[in-house]
Amino acid sequence: MMMCQNTARNVEIKAKIHDLNAVIEKVADVCKMEMEVIHQCDTFFKTENGRLKLREFKDGGELIYYDRPDVDGPKLSSYSKSSVTDTTSLKSVLQMALGVKGLVKKKRMLWHYNQTRIHIDEVEGLGNFLELEVVLNDNQTPEDGTRAAQELLDILGIPVSDLLSGSYLDYLNISKPA
């Protein structure tokens, strides 16, 4: 069974982390809350437009479609999610219909700061990353989200040189030998 959610928007930034413990300490200090640890396995499916992934958790998952440019720094992402209780059969159907593009396994540490979801991801085979998702409400512009994300990057001391474009899957595919 799936439960649909309306399309939403966020401004997203990804950055490479060089000192995991230092960044965790800074984020914890800024957020003043306990983090949530989530183990995720994302299966990406072949699509003509945007990206489609089935995110599996310990209990259930989400089917997520999103579209965003692959540029360094802040980028506007439009997405839609649907809750899934039977990830195994849905994955099988999508694999048969679309084909699998790749798999990303990660341990995600999650905090909330105002309207921003702060993730520290330990991505299997790739390393450690910071991801900021500034969830926009209907009356906010992408520029509002970019400002909020930049403020957090400054507070956390993340240099522009560490910002990334693309998805973890893109980087995993680049690192695989041809």
Side-chain angles (χ1 to χ4, degrees), residues 72-85:
D72 290 342
K75 48 199 141 289
L76 180 65
S77 178
S78 297
Y79 62 95
S80 189
K81 297 195 263 186
S82 182
S83 296
V84 178
T85 53

Side-chain angles (χ1 to χ4, degrees), residues 110-167:
L110 169 65
W111 291 265
H112 295 275
Y113 179 78
N114 296 331
Q115 70 190 86
T116 303
R117 293 170 49 95
I118 302 173
H119 307 150
I120 293 182
D121 293 333
E122 295 178 24
V123 181
E124 192 175 292
L126 203 55
N128 301 314
F129 300 87
L130 171 75
E131 183 177 277
L132 304 178
E133 291 179 351
V134 182
V135 180
L136 301 175
N137 59 44
D138 291 341
N139 63 350
Q140 287 184 300
T141 66
E143 292 75 23
D144 294 330
T146 298
R147 275 191 296 280
Q150 190 57 58
E151 241 176 63
L152 261 175
L153 287 175
D154 292 343
I155 290 169
L156 298 174
I158 305 297
V160 173
S161 59
D162 288 344
L163 300 185
L164 302 172
S165 62
S167 70

Side-chain angles (χ1 to χ4, degrees), residues 3-14:
M3 304 269 304
C4 288
Q5 295 178 357
N6 292 330
T7 301
R9 301 172 307 138
N10 67 26
V11 171
E12 181 180 305
I13 294 181
K14 272 191 180 75

Side-chain angles (χ1 to χ4, degrees), residues 37-93:
V37 176
I38 309 165
H39 294 272
Q40 300 175 341
C41 180
D42 292 346
T43 303
F44 286 80
F45 299 95
K46 296 175 183 173
T47 59
E48 289 191 29
N49 303 312
R51 294 182 171 108
L52 180 67
K53 65 183 172 186
L54 178 61
R55 172 164 288 160
E56 296 174 87
F57 306 109
K58 182 179 169 189
D59 299 318
E62 300 174 314
L63 185 63
I64 304 168
Y65 170 81
Y66 64 101
D67 195 16
R68 70 158 192 260
D70 289 332
V71 295
D72 290 342
K75 48 199 141 289
L76 180 65
S77 178
S78 297
Y79 62 95
S80 189
K81 297 195 263 186
S82 182
S83 296
V84 178
T85 53
D86 185 356
T87 57
T88 304
S89 65
L90 181 59
K91 185 191 313 187
S92 178
V93 169

